[in-house]
Amino acid sequence: MDGHAISMLGTGLISDFYTNTLHGQRGRDRVRVVYSRSDARGQAFRERWDIPESTTELAAAIEHPETDVVVVALPNFLHEEAVGLAARAGKAVLCTKPLGRTAEEARRMLDMVESAGVFGGYLEDLCYTPKTLKAVKAVQDGAIGDVTWVRSRETHPGPHSAWFWDGRLTGGGAIIDLGCHCIEIVRNFVGKGNRPVEVLCHTDTLVHPIADEDNAIALIKFESGAIGQFEVSWTFRGGMDLRDEVAGTHGTIWMNHFLRTGFEMFTAGGGGGYVAEKAETSAGWLFPVGDEVSELGYVDMFSDMFRAIDEGRAPQETFYDGYVVNAVMDACYRSAKAGAWAPIEVDWRGGTTERIAATPERFDGQVVIKREILPDGRHKLILKDEASGDFSDRVVAGA
Amino acid sequence: MDGHAISMLGTGLISDFYTNTLHGQRGRDRVRVVYSRSDARGQAFRERWDIPESTTELAAAIEHPETDVVVVALPNFLHEEAVGLAARAGKAVLCTKPLGRTAEEARRMLDMVESAGVFGGYLEDLCYTPKTLKAVKAVQDGAIGDVTWVRSRETHPGPHSAWFWDGRLTGGGAIIDLGCHCIEIVRNFVGKGNRPVEVLCHTDTLVHPIADEDNAIALIKFESGAIGQFEVSWTFRGGMDLRDEVAGTHGTIWMNHFLRTGFEMFTAGGGGGYVAEKAETSAGWLFPVGDEVSELGYVDMFSDMFRAIDEGRAPQETFYDGYVVNAVMDACYRSAKAGAWAPIEVDWRGGTTERIAATPERFDGQVVIKREILPDGRHKLILKDEASGDFSDRVVAGA
Amino acid sequence: MDGHAISMLGTGLISDFYTNTLHGQRGRDRVRVVYSRSDARGQAFRERWDIPESTTELAAAIEHPETDVVVVALPNFLHEEAVGLAARAGKAVLCTKPLGRTAEEARRMLDMVESAGVFGGYLEDLCYTPKTLKAVKAVQDGAIGDVTWVRSRETHPGPHSAWFWDGRLTGGGAIIDLGCHCIEIVRNFVGKGNRPVEVLCHTDTLVHPIADEDNAIALIKFESGAIGQFEVSWTFRGGMDLRDEVAGTHGTIWMNHFLRTGFEMFTAGGGGGYVAEKAETSAGWLFPVGDEVSELGYVDMFSDMFRAIDEGRAPQETFYDGYVVNAVMDACYRSAKAGAWAPIEVDWRGGTTERIAATPERFDGQVVIKREILPDGRHKLILKDEASGDFSDRVVAGA
Amino acid sequence: MDGHAISMLGTGLISDFYTNTLHGQRGRDRVRVVYSRSDARGQAFRERWDIPESTTELAAAIEHPETDVVVVALPNFLHEEAVGLAARAGKAVLCTKPLGRTAEEARRMLDMVESAGVFGGYLEDLCYTPKTLKAVKAVQDGAIGDVTWVRSRETHPGPHSAWFWDGRLTGGGAIIDLGCHCIEIVRNFVGKGNRPVEVLCHTDTLVHPIADEDNAIALIKFESGAIGQFEVSWTFRGGMDLRDEVAGTHGTIWMNHFLRTGFEMFTAGGGGGYVAEKAETSAGWLFPVGDEVSELGYVDMFSDMFRAIDEGRAPQETFYDGYVVNAVMDACYRSAKAGAWAPIEVDWRGGTTERIAATPERFDGQVVIKREILPDGRHKLILKDEASGDFSDRVVAGA
């Protein structure tokens, strides 16, 4: 079966994860050429992953005659140039997160692929973890009723490369690095067509001697009334904490993607070696992850991207999604600065979403606020008289 | 050994928990008289817990000649009257949470016990859970460095008695019911002497047809720079979720007090009966708690209270603490209304606290932002040049 | 309220746990005198726990004129002498586990208390953990149907005192130290009246240079057909693993008493101090327990013992139970030696128990072996034709 | 890139899992033809998975001119015939577990592929779960020292197809169905070259009205002294419990492959649909798995198989391994019947393995049995005098 030939731009950790995924298992797509600013790193990467060519020329990599897909795995400040070259070359372009440093920059990239008519995929892996995909489907199937509140947390002791810490190159701190994941995870659960209206955000620099935030929390209010909450930190101790929680009117979903996935190891030391991304110790109790590229969503992400290209459809995560995420992050920074809610300025294409449904049960002419099982098996109803606003208890036989 | 004789005011769920604790195990303190507005409920309670007397006269219960301690387990709007009577009777008074409906009301109660010179204990059970007590001690011993962020969550499907839902009687919604716990838990972790300065709060009524909030989240900024975050909900599905998480510069603490405590049961149905407070189902996978009155802090709370009385010292949780909690909640409601940070107005007695320590490691004349273990065992340093603000990577041999 | 005055025999770790429990919270029972072979240890213990007297005379401690209860917390080889003296002194005697080194020794102790007509309590704490008490009640209430298989595991890196390792003083290795707990836990779940008939046991000395077993596993077959399985080890790495699992025809119970109870701490080091019994590290991820004396059953155990004395009834765990446990352990050693099932020789007082109920559902004249929900929502029945012994599938609409 | 064309034999649940894996993600291998005894099932399967052809002729499927690999996903009693035809056709043959109903049957199949010189892969998926692969590597790298005891448990409420329950067609009960997984998992952890010497097994039929065992437990003694323990059940309630635990002289590994993997959902009902293999309920607390075909090892299994074919090497799991597993199972049945240890009769090709290393620490001329951290930070040594066999305590300053 025919696969795709890829120009991989960048040789950092994320390029390793991407190529590990593409060349792993029985995949039919291959990296054909890799670009690095450093010839040595390019060579090393080439050998590490059995890639035919490496180059230090960005344009040469992108315009390589035998590739049809360009994967942008470069630092944030280099995305726009790379996307522009790829669009001009008429190739499908897949860009790592965040799309831009600002919504304005992301918007330009979106325009580039749209005006060139090329495929633009937003490489937001954490929206593709197997748990997330299954949970989103369960939510869409109605398993937890209407979504009321989505919490997404991504925290670790700080990124692994110097440029991540320099807001001039990235566009910000922990929000730009991690919040972008959370925002898009939240959007998948509340519905892509659910407009993010405004945000309330707090940023703080609690530990690291840097100019940008090393901790942040934000609330995103959606058109349906649902709240998206994200928490990001570069000061968490103990590894990488990736948890998502979805509350609905009829159910709850909890996902732990990293530190507690049913894999626990105690070692008195001596075995050495790699435990997991952002692990802090190599002795004592450790919590590895089975297959990181699968658990973190890389496998399903590339499958969706390449299938979308093959089928001529949009992928789950598009450049437009990346642009929306940037717009939300821009609003977060404005909100944090103002210490108040800030509107999200976005060119909305998503339609409208209805308010969270709330059709309470009725009993004996009153509204049932709650039904609780008592220790003796009977049911206790809390009733509200709508005329007086008074509340009363009513104990009835069990269902 | 001599114990205390108690006037128990109220016969609701909380009175059951309190009396279950006092009369449980080998305790030497006993409820001597119970007050209920309803004679029938008073009688039933008396028989349930083997108590000599019940009465429908509040003053008679409080002034009972053979009791020396009054426990106020009444709805919020009745606290002030009961505390006043107990203070006038010259008896030690222990009052359930929240102390008042507002800081002003709490302040009056504080003044009552202080001017009468009687013992005032604030029955904040969740600050006394065995996990919390041990964790607070670990934090005080320096196990996680300086505290940077404390998260406290209390969510369930809504309270069990009608009056809880009526803000006129309680002072508010989920914040008044649940947030009071979280705020005081946070204070124990950041330090009681760490002044809460301002809050950023969002409240929402997402599901229940009520006038007050059924969901809320708040950030409390403390003098040290630490952030306290609480999340409360009356719309959570799946039981009662009680989790606290403490982040420090050198460590992390996670506590789960209810739904995931190492006790899991699957039943195809048929056994019936009580599972746990706020449990939603009696079949399928259930998550009971071992000894609720111990796990939820009631046992250690009363031990501290009675020992404090015996030793002539203040308990861990005082009326002053209850007043501070009310002051923070007042600020939460103001912040939520304004959609912006609100200052906490409190008569502060707690002294001052220093800023979170941040003395970064240095390497080769630069600041070490981070040290990470690479898959090959080497260490990667992220360095910051303070003059230029530039960041760089440096890979060195492993420690 | 009047409590009991106790003669505490022994000053080791278990005496500390016992006295911590008795003198903890608001207990009304007190240790009046402590016995130690060493004057210095006795003095230190006395001061540590605020006890009026210590002595190096065993008889003097037991016959102390102001005590009415004797707690035997001595090494195994000293139990019989102490129990004999207590019985002669006409005092209630509570003896730590295991009761004897052999069933013969245990039987003599049982005879001593019975012929003297004194109260004999078997201090089997792990049958009294709050989780176990609640789980046993759930089983008795029918929550999981008929019990089919009970697994009890107790493993850690080995005991903390030298004498534990000397089979001449204890009666064996890990089975005598830990298996005694497991056997009695199993009995509580299958029912005390369910006769243990025979055992299949394997012992091994895999790591420690000792003469007795540092690992063992055994199956106990009960009259009802239920199987009790215990696993004990002195070579487990990572702390103390205490887990019990109960399988029934209609449900399942899983209990984790120690390493995973909803309390998790990561520390980069520096806090120092005690984490939990048998903890192996003081940095990295740690798993403390909230209140060890409560979680491990000591609190409920002593409550039951003293209430039983006060009420003139037998406690949950009696000397007879201790004797049965010793009889099972004797059979384990015989089985391990023979490499085959060994009968349990015990003077049975427990009556008879019926075979596990098995009344399978029927459908269309055949036996329903299983009913499974298919991905599409239909139900798939596995049917057995009793005449031919043939099995067939039948897919039917969902329930 | 060129992939393989497959003849898939069988259309049951396992064929669905296999084909889902092969046709999932970006795989380059495809099922070319599917065989079913039933034309209707073959057609349905063909459409479900987009397969060019189906047939009811076993030989036709196997000898299909365009396929090079045969996957045997048939009931146990049909394996031998299918393997024989594939070997004669000169094609690579991959056979599901267990290889045979007995070691004798497995041995004949092994001989068939070896004498025909074709590739024989044993489709033992659970040895390929990402957690298992990473854990085996950690063990091989020395992370937990020498392996002492491996526990593997697979339990669920019973298989989904009628033929599984008929021992005449399968070769036995839960051991044949589930124990085969556990045995091979154990072998991977103790080392494939570590000869299994003898087994002690107990089988029981506790609940289902069948002739074969619905519960079993076995101990496998290996040449190194390590013990492999497996527990299988067709009567577990609550879903499918897949747990493996590895104990070593310096560490511990715990893996949970199914019910507790960091994915938890509560639903009040209404969402419907498939939760996970062997799930028992569709409301209440549910525990789905992210990507079943990845988590259960199918993805890595087929990758290894096809790479091994491409590279001309043996796969991780070979027909020889399948034969060894059958030999161990045969011994289990003999042991269970005898109620005693039974030797494992196997034509051993694996070489020899040394005894578990035990070189205890020494202190002051004595053997250190144990080193424990006391609450006060000091270290307590348990020492053994090898001459007298006496043990003593020694408290020393902390490390």
Side-chain angles (χ1 to χ4, degrees), chain C residues 13 148-149 151 153 155-163 165-168 200-202 204-211 215-217 219 221 225-227 229 231-233 235-238 241 243 245 247-252 254 256 259-260 273-274 277-282 336 338-341 355-358 360 367-370 372-376 380 382-384 386 388-393, chain D residues 13 148-149 151 153 155-163 165-168 200-202 204-211 215-217 219 221 225-227 229 231-233 235-238 241 243 245 247-252 254 256 259-260 273-274 277-282 336 338-341 355-358 360 367-370 372-376 380 382-384 386 388-393:
Chain C
L13 182 66
T148 53
W149 204 291
R151 290 166 173 88
R153 183 189 300 183
T155 68
H156 59 56
H160 57 281
S161 278
W163 67 266
W165 297 84
D166 190 337
R168 299 166 299 187
L200 182 62
C201 179
H202 173 61
D204 223 323
T205 308
L206 290 168
V207 174
H208 296 298
I210 55 173
N215 280 275
I217 178 170
L219 303 179
K221 198 179 283 180
I227 299 288
Q229 172 184 336
E231 300 177 24
V232 294
S233 176
T235 69
F236 175 72
R237 300 306 305 265
D241 188 25
R243 279 185 279 171
E245 304 190 359
T249 50
H250 295 89
T252 296
W254 290 342
N256 195 320
L259 273 177
R260 296 295 182 273
Y274 180 69
E277 197 190 332
K278 312 277 187 310
E280 289 208 284
T281 56
S282 57
W341 289 91
R355 175 80 196 174
I356 294 167
V367 172
V368 177
I369 298 290
K370 183 155 181 264
E372 186 172 348
I373 305 166
L374 294 177
D376 64 8
K380 182 176 194 173
I382 311 280
L383 302 174
K384 182 183 177 184
E386 287 175 294
S388 68
D390 288 344
F391 296 80
S392 61
D393 295 320
Chain D
L13 182 66
T148 53
W149 204 291
R151 289 168 172 89
R153 183 188 300 182
T155 68
H156 59 55
H160 57 281
S161 278
W163 67 266
W165 297 82
D166 190 336
R168 299 166 298 187
L200 182 64
C201 179
H202 173 63
D204 223 324
T205 307
L206 291 168
V207 174
H208 297 298
I210 55 173
N215 279 275
I217 177 170
L219 303 180
K221 199 179 282 179
I227 300 288
Q229 172 184 336
E231 300 176 26
V232 294
S233 176
T235 69
F236 175 74
R237 300 306 306 265
D241 187 25
R243 279 184 280 171
E245 304 190 358
T249 50
H250 295 90
T252 297
W254 290 342
N256 195 320
L259 273 178
R260 296 294 183 273
Y274 180 68
E277 194 189 334
K278 310 281 187 307
E280 289 208 284
T281 56
S282 58
W341 288 91
R355 173 81 196 174
I356 293 167
V367 171
V368 176
I369 298 291
K370 182 157 182 263
E372 186 172 347
I373 304 166
L374 295 177
D376 64 8
K380 183 177 194 172
I382 311 280
L383 301 175
K384 181 184 179 184
E386 286 174 294
S388 67
D390 290 342
F391 295 80
S392 60
D393 295 321

Side-chain angles (χ1 to χ4, degrees), chain B residues 103-354:
Chain B
E104 198 183 339
E105 194 176 62
R107 179 69 209 222
R108 286 198 302 268
M109 286 188 263
L110 172 61
D111 290 344
M112 286 171 185
V113 298
E114 291 191 336
S115 57
V118 300
F119 181 97
Y122 178 49
L123 296 178
E124 175 39 82
D125 56 295
L126 292 179
C127 292
Y128 285 101
T129 77
K131 286 171 183 163
T132 304
L133 293 175
K134 193 173 272 191
V136 166
K137 186 166 183 326
V139 168
Q140 289 170 347
D141 289 350
I144 65 166
D146 284 352
V147 171
T148 53
W149 205 292
V150 184
R151 289 169 173 88
S152 180
R153 183 188 299 183
E154 178 156 2
T155 69
H156 58 56
H160 57 281
S161 278
W163 67 266
F164 271 98
W165 296 83
D166 190 336
R168 300 167 298 188
L169 307 180
T170 64
I175 290 179
I176 279 287
D177 179 27
L178 308 175
C180 59
H181 287 301
C182 302
I183 292 165
E184 191 60 4
I185 290 167
V186 166
R187 287 187 68 229
N188 272 278
F189 281 109
V190 300
K192 289 277 191 88
N194 201 345
R195 183 175 184 150
V197 179
E198 54 177 344
V199 303
L200 183 63
C201 179
H202 173 61
T203 61
D204 224 323
T205 307
L206 291 168
V207 174
H208 297 298
I210 56 172
D212 296 282
E213 77 279 2
D214 60 13
N215 279 275
I217 177 171
L219 302 179
I220 308 164
K221 199 180 281 178
F222 288 87
E223 189 187 11
S224 73
I227 299 288
Q229 172 185 335
F230 74 74
E231 300 177 25
V232 294
S233 177
W234 281 350
T235 68
F236 175 74
R237 300 306 305 267
M240 180 157 70
D241 187 24
L242 295 184
R243 278 184 281 171
D244 300 314
E245 305 192 357
V246 189
T249 50
H250 295 90
T252 297
I253 296 174
W254 290 342
M255 283 166 284
N256 195 321
H257 300 289
F258 222 70
L259 273 178
R260 297 293 183 274
T261 63
F263 194 175
E264 313 176 60
M265 191 184 324
F266 177 87
T267 170
Y274 180 69
V275 176
E277 196 190 332
K278 312 282 187 306
E280 289 209 283
T281 55
S282 58
W285 278 103
L286 308 174
F287 299 89
V289 182
D291 181 358
E292 283 188 47
V293 297
S294 172
E295 299 276 331
L296 293 182
Y298 297 108
V299 171
D300 282 278
M301 179 179 72
F302 280 116
S303 289
D304 179 50
M305 291 293 164
F306 289 118
R307 281 184 191 160
I309 294 173
D310 293 346
E311 298 166 10
R313 62 164 172 85
Q316 178 186 312
E317 300 301 321
T318 66
F319 268 41
Y320 178 72
D321 291 314
Y323 155 68
V324 173
V325 168
N326 270 118
V328 174
M329 293 195 292
D330 283 3
C332 285
Y333 284 117
R334 276 186 282 115
S335 166
K337 204 168 174 186
W341 289 92
I344 295 164
E345 291 161 12
V346 67
D347 176 16
W348 186 244
R349 300 175 176 178
T352 60
T353 302
E354 283 189 24

Side-chain angles (χ1 to χ4, degrees), chain A residues 148-149 151 153 157-163 165-166 168 200-202 204-211 215-217 219 221 225-227 229 231 235-238 241 243 245 248-252 254 259-260 273-274 278-282 339-341 355-356 358 360 367 369-370 372-375 380 382 384 388-393, chain B residues 148-149 151 153 157-163 165-166 168 200-202 204-211 215-217 219 221 225-227 229 231 235-238 241 243 245 248-252 254 259-260 273-274 278-282 339-341 355-356 358 360 367 369-370 372-375 380 382 384 388-393:
Chain A
T148 54
W149 206 291
R151 290 168 172 88
R153 183 188 300 182
H160 58 282
S161 278
W163 67 266
W165 297 83
D166 190 337
R168 300 166 299 188
L200 182 63
C201 179
H202 173 61
D204 224 324
T205 308
L206 291 168
V207 174
H208 297 298
I210 56 173
N215 280 275
I217 176 169
L219 303 179
K221 199 179 282 178
I227 299 288
Q229 172 184 336
E231 300 176 25
T235 68
F236 175 74
R237 300 305 305 267
D241 187 26
R243 279 183 280 170
E245 305 190 358
T249 51
H250 294 89
T252 297
W254 290 341
L259 273 178
R260 297 292 183 274
Y274 180 69
K278 310 280 187 310
E280 289 210 284
T281 56
S282 57
W341 289 91
R355 173 82 196 174
I356 293 168
V367 172
I369 298 290
K370 183 157 182 262
E372 186 172 347
I373 304 165
L374 295 177
K380 182 177 194 171
I382 312 280
K384 182 183 177 185
S388 67
D390 290 342
F391 295 80
S392 61
D393 295 321
Chain B
T148 53
W149 205 292
R151 289 169 173 88
R153 183 188 299 183
H160 57 281
S161 278
W163 67 266
W165 296 83
D166 190 336
R168 300 167 298 188
L200 183 63
C201 179
H202 173 61
D204 224 323
T205 307
L206 291 168
V207 174
H208 297 298
I210 56 172
N215 279 275
I217 177 171
L219 302 179
K221 199 180 281 178
I227 299 288
Q229 172 185 335
E231 300 177 25
T235 68
F236 175 74
R237 300 306 305 267
D241 187 24
R243 278 184 281 171
E245 305 192 357
T249 50
H250 295 90
T252 297
W254 290 342
L259 273 178
R260 297 293 183 274
Y274 180 69
K278 312 282 187 306
E280 289 209 283
T281 55
S282 58
W341 289 92
R355 173 81 196 172
I356 294 168
V367 171
I369 298 290
K370 182 155 182 261
E372 186 173 347
I373 305 166
L374 294 177
K380 182 177 194 171
I382 311 281
K384 181 184 179 185
S388 67
D390 289 344
F391 295 79
S392 61
D393 295 321

Side-chain angles (χ1 to χ4, degrees), chain C residues 100-307:
Chain C
R101 284 172 292 180
T102 62
E104 196 184 339
E105 195 176 59
R107 179 69 209 223
R108 286 196 302 267
M109 286 187 261
L110 172 61
D111 291 343
M112 285 170 187
V113 298
E114 292 190 336
S115 57
V118 299
F119 181 97
Y122 178 49
L123 296 178
E124 174 39 82
D125 55 293
L126 292 178
C127 292
Y128 285 101
T129 78
K131 286 171 183 164
T132 303
L133 292 176
K134 194 172 270 189
V136 166
K137 185 167 183 325
V139 169
Q140 289 169 346
D141 289 350
I144 64 166
D146 284 351
V147 171
T148 53
W149 204 291
V150 185
R151 290 166 173 88
S152 180
R153 183 189 300 183
E154 179 157 1
T155 68
H156 59 56
H160 57 281
S161 278
W163 67 266
F164 272 99
W165 297 84
D166 190 337
R168 299 166 299 187
L169 306 180
T170 64
I175 290 179
I176 279 285
D177 180 26
L178 307 175
C180 58
H181 287 302
C182 302
I183 291 165
E184 189 61 3
I185 290 167
V186 167
R187 287 188 66 228
N188 273 278
F189 282 108
V190 300
K192 290 277 191 87
N194 201 345
R195 182 175 186 149
V197 180
E198 54 177 341
V199 302
L200 182 62
C201 179
H202 173 61
T203 61
D204 223 323
T205 308
L206 290 168
V207 174
H208 296 298
I210 55 173
D212 295 283
E213 76 280 4
D214 59 15
N215 280 275
I217 178 170
L219 303 179
I220 308 164
K221 198 179 283 180
F222 288 88
E223 188 188 11
S224 73
I227 299 288
Q229 172 184 336
F230 74 75
E231 300 177 24
V232 294
S233 176
W234 280 350
T235 69
F236 175 72
R237 300 306 305 265
M240 180 157 72
D241 188 25
L242 295 184
R243 279 185 279 171
D244 299 315
E245 304 190 359
V246 189
T249 50
H250 295 89
T252 296
I253 296 174
W254 290 342
M255 284 166 282
N256 195 320
H257 300 289
F258 221 68
L259 273 177
R260 296 295 182 273
T261 62
F263 195 174
E264 312 177 60
M265 190 184 324
F266 177 86
T267 170
Y274 180 69
V275 176
E277 197 190 332
K278 312 277 187 310
E280 289 208 284
T281 56
S282 57
W285 279 102
L286 308 175
F287 299 89
V289 182
D291 181 357
E292 283 188 45
V293 297
S294 173
E295 300 276 330
L296 292 183
Y298 296 108
V299 171
D300 282 280
M301 176 178 75
F302 279 116
S303 289
D304 179 50
M305 291 294 163
F306 289 119
R307 282 184 191 160

